[in-house]
Amino acid sequence: MKKGWGLTVYAVLFVAFVYGPVLILPLFSFNDNTFATFPLTGFTTRHYVDMLGQRQMIASLMNSLRIGLAVTVLATAIAIPAAISITRYRFPGKPAVLSMLMLPLVVPSIVLAVALLVIILRFLGLPLSLWTVAAGHVLVALPFCVSVLISRLEGFDQSLEEASRDLGCSPMQTFRRVTLPLAMPGVISSLLLGFIISFDEFVIAFFLTGTENTLPVYLYSQLRFPNKLPGTLALGSVILVVSTVLVITAEVIRKRGVQTDNPGDY
Amino acid sequence: MSEPLIRIEGVTKRFGAFQALHGIDIDIGRGEFFSLLGASGCGKTTLLRILAGIEEPSTGRLLIDGQDMVGVPPERRPTNMVFQSYAIFPHLNVEENIGYGLKNLKLSKADMQTRIGNAIEMVKLNGLDKRNAHALSGGQRQRVALARALVMQPKVLLLDEPLSALDKKLREEMQLELRAMQRTLGITFVFVTHDQEEAMTLSDRIAMMSGGRIMQLDTPKALYENPANREVAEFIGTMNLFPAKVTAAKDAVLSLDGGLLGPMAAPAAKGVAMGDMVQVAVRPERVSIEKPGPAGINRIAGRVKEAVYLGDRINYVLAAQGLDRPILATSANTSGEIYPLGTEVMATWDTEGARVLTS
Amino acid sequence: MSDDTKTNRRGLFARGGLFADRARRREALTGIGLLSPALVVMISMLALPVGALVIMSFWTQNGFNLDTSFTLDNYRRLFARSDRVTEWMGMTFHLAYPVPAILMIKSLAMSLMATVAVVLLAYPMAYFLAFRVTRYKAAWIIMLTIPFWTSYLLRVFSWKVVLGYNGAINSGLMSLGLIDKPLEFLLYNPAAVVITLSHAWVSFVVLPIFVSLEKIDRSMLEAAADLGDSRSRRFRRIILPLSMPGTISAALMVFIPTVGDYVTPQLVGGNGGTMIGSLVQLLFTKQNNAPLGAAISLVMMGIIAVLVLIFLTLIGYWKMRARRAS
């Protein structure tokens, strides 16, 4: 059909606009030059090799990995019962509770950050550390984990769980034998997305971290030094690749789950 | 019935402000094929789910085999259910689906295999043991759901509109199979349906429900021949209704005045007294069509508005003076003749074929 | 599930409702029990901290000392009038401390521009995805999801590399011989902030808009065509109104957080492009006046909330959603 050529061109331009600036980072990270300028002067992997020698960077990377792992496991573990409650149980005030769970999505992260900062330092008198960062990250990851799991749980018929009870399984056995296996694609995407959110988060980490850095905080501190630009570009590119791989994995698992579970004639 | 298997006593169910069931009382006997029949939203599925233990009644008692079931979770009830959507576990194959509940019974491996094998045989799924759930057709899914419930050897099998997703031919085939299976196994079946023909085909007794109440509980024949009220009469089959006033009652026969429709007569009915406004109900197959003639008892003059030729019978739609709705008449096709449209005719019926309905 | 069980769930407190019914009460308690870990997180890490922020906003900072006696001084300071007149963008402020007010208005304006740009950019893309893409739809969706999940910091930083004095555009144009010396107006101004914000958030709204378009029953469009609507009239009379609620909520999900953004102004805004979030950050760090920072963040949240509610009421959002749901 002839219609819609304009829109197709627009879509291509749109993708170019969204991806273009971001792809500049890996492009210049392989350029043999201290400045991110055209024309490109030559191909090098030097900046990546240099990165491996940066002790601080490696330390912040390890911190981010540790926090990300802890955050995502915790957030998903909290989100699973919450999503089951919202999709499977009737109780008063459910819409209000659901909006409250989604609140961290709309509150500007600087407000979340300073609010947590005030209560931690002034009211609880706790020292800032990677733990306080992780706490803040659980808060921002939770709405995403809950949403992913809710849409997964809504995706299969509740009568499957009723059938399991009818066939002699207790609620716990039903969870283990029916709900969990069927929700597994959602659980995995929740784990991956929770990890990415924590791994990429900057504002809360910046305010709540103590003496140790997370990777984005380290990256931010490097942005001030023009002579460190190539290393920053290389580090940024690595982060981009890692998140992209995780997102694709999460999305593919989620989509595949949806396809295979809706068989038959309806 | 000496000792019912299921006793439902004053069961009500509320969902928030919505009352789904109002004081239901039913006794269901051992080995009975019992149907809950009604339009959507009448409460039949809610009642079935209360039997299964998926919903709890708001008030009332439920006994199965003499044991109080209120508060007993579904996994500890002697009932198993065939769900409307079949609820086949998509992550398991046929054999695993059928064996799902057996795993909770701590059977030996050999016992389990035998029971699964028998169940597969019974529902004619031989050879499909390892087939994945999403590679099954609608009819096969229905059979897996049936086998999965029956393999548990329940005292009561609950079926929630199990045939509604199948096409007409397959549905009729399954109806016969279900009936035969129920007779051989001797298990009590409680069957929910909105299809009156299906309920009539299968059931020993039917509870016709509407608005969370039981309208009438009877055998299929009694429901059809002696409907308790207008709603039952019109839900089960079609019914001509003629408004009339009772003018006399003697020798078990009522005399009625139908105004423009002329005088009528009908067998006496309980609670009907002189002067009452009632509906005289006559099934279309009880109405015969004659050439125009003199007026008289149970005789209404009309004009043919529509004549539908169905081969073995002819359905007539007649317009009559003094009646908003047309008169429906079904005549057996004995002569091959049809009254053409516009013909003036006379609709008549025997007094024994009429019923008097007060509500 | 059958229609019999899909019943009215309102009126839980009505006669014979939740508390008269043992089974319902048990179900409700289990439901709330399963939710409780999430609720604990929300209360201890969102409600209580915001409460702490409120309390803090009534305190005052004197140099290094925090005075914890209750006072409205911080709020008074934000609204105190003065004879000294400050001019900004043709507006006059009779305020003793006009910086927060100016930054607030500026942030709202920049955020609004970015939000409008985001919706205008994303809508045609979502439309294309919903109505034109037939093959590889999942791949398209994933491709448009990825940018949203990649580091916000890096997406903002990439614009610094693109627009910078020694950046990609300047060096590119120079190496092509189109300009002799770098264009200085590219970076460190409000326009750079708006562009960067639009880019950073655009992938966030494509999917919600796409979902609201995808939900539109195609037979409705066929019916409209059958009744004589042209393509453009179908868009105006069916697609646009039905996708409006989804589009508006997506727009708000951009507008609200961006008003308080501070990474973007920090990296690409320069002196001219600072926003209210930058001020909050400064007060909590370098200027060491957390109580004033707390007051400013709360006033900011209040203003955003009021504006959003006024906006939604003006356009009849709730009616629109109710109609859509029915």
Side-chain angles (χ1 to χ4, degrees):
Chain A
M1 245 184 290
K2 246 186 81 181
K3 64 169 187 184
W5 259 109
L7 264 181
T8 312
V9 172
Y10 179 82
V12 172
L13 289 175
F14 182 90
V15 171
F17 168 68
V18 171
Y19 276 85
V22 182
L23 291 178
I24 289 279
L25 301 182
L27 177 70
F28 283 120
S29 74
F30 288 111
N31 190 24
D32 195 2
N33 191 338
T34 21
F35 298 105
T37 54
F38 286 113
L40 301 173
T41 47
F43 179 84
T44 176
T45 51
R46 170 165 58 94
H47 308 312
Y48 288 88
V49 177
D50 289 352
M51 225 168 50
L52 298 174
Q54 308 243 0
R55 291 248 307 282
Q56 269 194 318
M57 195 219 83
I58 302 292
S60 358
L61 172 68
M62 295 317 286
N63 290 339
S64 278
L65 289 177
R66 268 178 16 223
I67 294 181
L69 226 57
V71 164
T72 195
V73 169
L74 207 59
T76 304
I78 294 169
I80 290 172
I84 289 178
S85 166
I86 281 165
T87 51
R88 300 289 189 263
Y89 288 83
R90 291 166 291 195
F91 55 89
K94 200 197 284 190
V97 170
L98 191 56
S99 333
M100 187 178 160
L101 284 177
M102 295 300 138
L103 216 50
L105 284 180
V106 285
V107 179
S109 44
I110 190 156
V111 176
L112 295 177
V114 297
L116 283 164
L117 185 73
V118 165
I119 199 165
I120 289 167
L121 287 183
R122 293 288 164 202
F123 289 82
L124 301 174
L126 295 171
L128 293 177
S129 68
L130 292 177
W131 289 111
T132 51
V133 177
H137 283 181
V138 169
L139 179 70
V140 287
L142 201 52
F144 288 98
C145 297
V146 170
S147 317
V148 167
L149 287 164
I150 284 179
S151 67
R152 179 65 202 159
L153 288 172
E154 276 173 350
F156 62 87
D157 194 350
Q158 199 175 330
S159 61
L160 293 171
E161 285 147 336
E162 290 167 359
S164 168
R165 294 292 302 282
D166 185 64
L167 292 166
C169 287
S170 67
M172 267 321 284
Q173 285 170 315
T174 297
F175 175 74
R176 203 167 41 78
R177 291 181 66 187
V178 175
T179 315
L180 194 59
L182 289 176
M184 202 34 95
V187 173
I188 294 172
S189 353
S190 166
L191 285 170
L192 291 171
L193 297 181
F195 180 82
I196 298 169
I197 289 166
S198 167
F199 192 74
D200 283 343
E201 204 286 332
F202 166 69
V203 177
I204 289 173
F206 178 75
F207 275 91
L208 297 188
T209 192
T211 49
E212 293 177 278
N213 281 341
T214 66
L215 201 56
V217 176
Y218 171 80
L219 185 76
Y220 184 77
S221 71
Q222 300 300 294
L223 297 183
R224 276 175 298 164
F225 308 112
N227 60 331
K228 291 193 175 164
L229 185 62
T232 314
L233 291 171
L235 177 55
S237 309
V238 171
I239 297 176
L240 284 179
V241 170
V242 171
S243 341
T244 306
V245 169
L246 290 180
V247 176
I248 293 177
T249 316
E251 288 292 308
V252 167
I253 287 173
R254 207 151 57 110
K255 292 259 148 54
R256 176 154 309 157
V258 171
Q259 277 163 11
T260 52
D261 290 348
N262 290 317
D265 341 2
Y266 329 98
Chain B
M1 213 178 311
S2 54
E3 186 202 340
L5 179 64
I6 302 174
R7 167 155 278 181
I8 302 167
E9 267 179 25
V11 162
T12 67
K13 179 66 184 175
R14 273 205 180 90
F15 293 106
F18 174 75
Q19 181 104 32
L21 293 175
H22 301 262
I24 303 284
D25 298 290
I26 302 178
D27 282 351
I28 300 174
R30 266 167 226 282
E32 194 173 8
F33 198 123
F34 192 93
S35 288
L36 298 167
L37 172 67
S40 64
C42 72
K44 58 190 192 295
T45 295
T46 304
L47 186 56
L48 194 76
R49 290 162 67 86
I50 286 174
L51 289 175
I54 296 165
E55 303 278 358
E56 289 283 347
S58 301
T59 59
R61 276 188 358 131
L62 168 64
L63 301 172
I64 296 179
D65 214 2
Q67 303 224 289
D68 192 351
M69 283 292 136
V70 174
V72 176
E75 64 266 28
R76 292 212 297 273
R77 292 193 183 198
T79 59
N80 285 108
M81 182 147 161
V82 177
F83 287 78
Q84 186 176 15
S85 62
Y86 306 145
I88 303 299
F89 302 119
H91 58 306
L92 306 177
N93 65 26
V94 168
E95 196 182 49
E96 290 164 333
N97 261 288
I98 295 174
Y100 186 92
L102 293 179
K103 271 202 178 174
N104 295 316
L105 299 182
K106 311 240 171 350
L107 300 173
S108 74
K109 209 160 181 161
D111 271 1
M112 212 159 119
Q113 281 307 322
T114 324
R115 275 171 79 166
I116 294 173
N118 290 343
I120 288 180
E121 189 117 350
M122 183 170 61
V123 297
K124 301 178 185 149
L125 284 175
N126 309 47
L128 295 180
D129 315 35
K130 307 287 180 199
R131 179 77 61 95
N132 241 321
H134 38 259
L136 296 173
S137 72
Q140 289 167 335
R141 293 157 72 75
Q142 203 266 341
R143 284 163 189 273
V144 173
L146 195 59
R148 185 177 70 180
L150 284 174
V151 80
M152 300 299 287
Q153 301 174 346
K155 287 180 181 160
V156 184
L157 184 72
L158 308 168
L159 302 105
D160 186 5
E161 307 222 16
L163 307 180
S164 63
L166 306 180
D167 61 46
K168 192 166 185 285
K169 203 157 174 233
L170 197 53
R171 191 162 65 224
E172 282 167 359
E173 209 180 294
M174 278 312 295
Q175 284 173 0
L176 294 177
E177 261 186 66
L178 270 182
R179 185 75 239 217
M181 218 177 267
Q182 193 264 342
R183 287 219 174 96
T184 13
L185 295 171
I187 295 176
T188 304
F189 278 32
V190 181
F191 188 94
V192 159
T193 181
H194 64 268
D195 181 341
Q196 48 103 4
E197 214 176 297
E198 189 168 282
M200 307 269 281
T201 312
L202 292 170
S203 322
D204 295 319
R205 286 193 306 152
I206 298 171
M208 153 92 198
M209 294 179 70
S210 174
R213 290 188 170 84
I214 292 178
M215 297 281 109
Q216 190 171 358
L217 196 167
D218 244 319
T219 60
K221 179 165 181 282
L223 275 182
Y224 190 79
E225 299 292 341
N226 290 307
N229 57 38
R230 224 174 132 156
E231 204 172 340
V232 177
E234 292 190 301
F235 192 86
I236 296 174
T238 38
M239 187 69 100
N240 290 300
L241 294 167
F242 308 120
K245 190 174 172 182
V246 181
T247 53
K250 76 168 190 238
D251 300 339
V253 173
L254 298 172
S255 299
L256 304 108
D257 174 15
L260 283 174
L261 302 174
M264 293 180 219
K270 251 191 271 174
V272 178
M274 287 271 291
D276 283 357
M277 279 307 296
V278 296
Q279 301 280 340
V280 175
V282 187
R283 293 282 181 200
E285 67 272 18
R286 298 280 189 159
V287 178
S288 21
I289 310 273
E290 295 172 3
K291 300 222 161 61
I297 295 174
N298 298 344
R299 288 170 73 80
I300 302 177
R303 196 162 32 80
V304 176
K305 256 174 67 183
E306 200 73 69
V308 183
Y309 179 79
L310 289 169
D312 61 335
R313 62 191 191 277
I314 300 154
N315 285 345
Y316 288 102
V317 179
L318 310 177
Q321 244 193 347
L323 204 56
D324 305 335
R325 304 197 306 178
I327 302 173
L328 306 174
T330 303
S331 323
N333 182 9
T334 46
S335 62
E337 268 178 59
I338 305 180
Y339 290 101
L341 297 195
T343 319
E344 298 291 338
V345 292
M346 191 62 95
T348 75
W349 63 90
D350 292 340
T351 299
E352 302 80 70
R355 295 289 177 272
V356 165
L357 301 178
T358 50
S359 58
Chain C
M1 200 178 357
S2 141
D3 42 290
D4 286 11
T5 54
K6 267 185 217 151
T7 44
N8 187 342
R9 282 170 189 173
R10 280 172 303 152
L12 288 154
F13 297 97
R15 178 178 56 87
L18 179 67
F19 297 107
D21 190 330
R22 201 157 33 89
R24 305 263 296 146
R25 190 169 55 226
R26 203 169 46 212
E27 180 180 344
L29 288 178
T30 318
I32 292 166
L34 288 171
L35 259 178
S36 56
L39 290 179
V40 167
V41 169
M42 287 299 146
I43 289 166
S44 65
M45 289 184 327
L46 186 64
L48 293 180
V50 170
L53 202 62
V54 172
I55 295 172
M56 165 79 89
S57 74
F58 295 120
W59 295 349
T60 40
Q61 186 88 36
N62 297 312
F64 286 109
N65 298 321
L66 192 64
D67 181 353
T68 59
S69 48
F70 179 90
T71 164
L72 289 170
D73 278 0
N74 292 318
Y75 293 98
R76 247 181 239 129
R77 200 174 157 199
L78 292 180
F79 297 104
R81 295 182 65 80
S82 153
D83 297 334
R84 197 163 53 88
V85 173
T86 318
E87 285 235 12
W88 178 76
M89 298 285 286
M91 284 180 271
T92 48
F93 294 83
H94 298 269
L95 294 170
Y97 178 43
V99 178
I102 292 175
L103 284 180
M104 188 70 221
I105 291 170
K106 199 168 131 189
S107 303
L108 288 171
M110 283 161 70
S111 177
L112 185 65
M113 278 190 273
T115 307
V116 170
V118 159
V119 170
L120 292 181
L121 285 171
Y123 198 96
M125 183 65 226
Y127 182 91
F128 174 77
L129 194 56
F131 292 104
R132 295 295 159 75
V133 177
T134 45
R135 282 193 302 162
Y136 310 120
K137 202 166 207 161
W140 271 95
I141 292 172
I142 292 177
M143 184 163 72
L144 291 165
T145 318
I146 293 167
F148 167 64
W149 290 103
T150 54
S151 162
Y152 187 73
L153 183 65
L154 285 174
R155 275 180 285 158
V156 175
F157 170 62
S158 67
W159 280 97
K160 195 179 157 106
V161 176
V162 171
L163 299 175
Y165 188 81
N166 282 320
I169 290 187
N170 275 332
S171 62
L173 292 176
M174 270 163 52
S175 68
L176 290 173
L178 292 172
I179 50 171
D180 305 329
K181 62 183 177 81
L183 306 168
E184 287 186 35
F185 61 81
L186 290 178
L187 198 59
Y188 301 131
N189 58 48
V193 175
V194 172
I195 292 173
T196 308
L197 283 176
S198 314
H199 174 258
W201 286 90
V202 76
S203 48
F204 186 70
V205 297
V206 173
L207 285 187
I209 297 177
F210 162 73
V211 169
S212 64
L213 288 170
E214 188 81 345
K215 273 195 299 196
I216 297 173
D217 186 349
R218 295 304 189 263
S219 62
M220 252 190 259
L221 297 176
E222 287 159 11
D226 183 57
L227 295 168
D229 266 5
S230 65
R231 182 192 299 277
S232 63
R233 283 176 71 84
R234 287 203 296 274
F235 177 74
R236 224 175 46 236
R237 295 173 63 185
I238 313 268
I239 299 177
L240 199 58
L242 287 178
S243 62
M244 215 20 110
T247 308
I248 287 169
S249 57
L252 290 176
M253 297 280 277
V254 174
F255 178 73
I256 301 170
T258 49
V259 175
D261 191 15
Y262 105 94
V263 176
T264 308
Q266 202 73 10
L267 286 177
V268 301
N271 287 331
T274 47
M275 289 169 71
I276 190 87
S278 323
L279 178 64
V280 172
Q281 190 257 347
L282 266 183
L283 286 167
F284 270 91
T285 52
K286 279 202 194 102
Q287 294 191 5
N288 191 28
N289 192 345
L292 185 61
I296 291 177
S297 3
L298 290 169
V299 171
M300 170 182 88
M301 297 279 290
I303 290 175
I304 296 174
V306 168
L307 286 179
V308 167
L309 286 179
I310 291 174
F311 169 72
L312 291 180
T313 310
L314 282 181
I315 61 163
Y317 179 75
W318 285 280
K319 253 186 275 166
M320 205 151 50
R321 266 187 58 166
R323 211 165 45 211
R324 170 85 220 241
S326 65

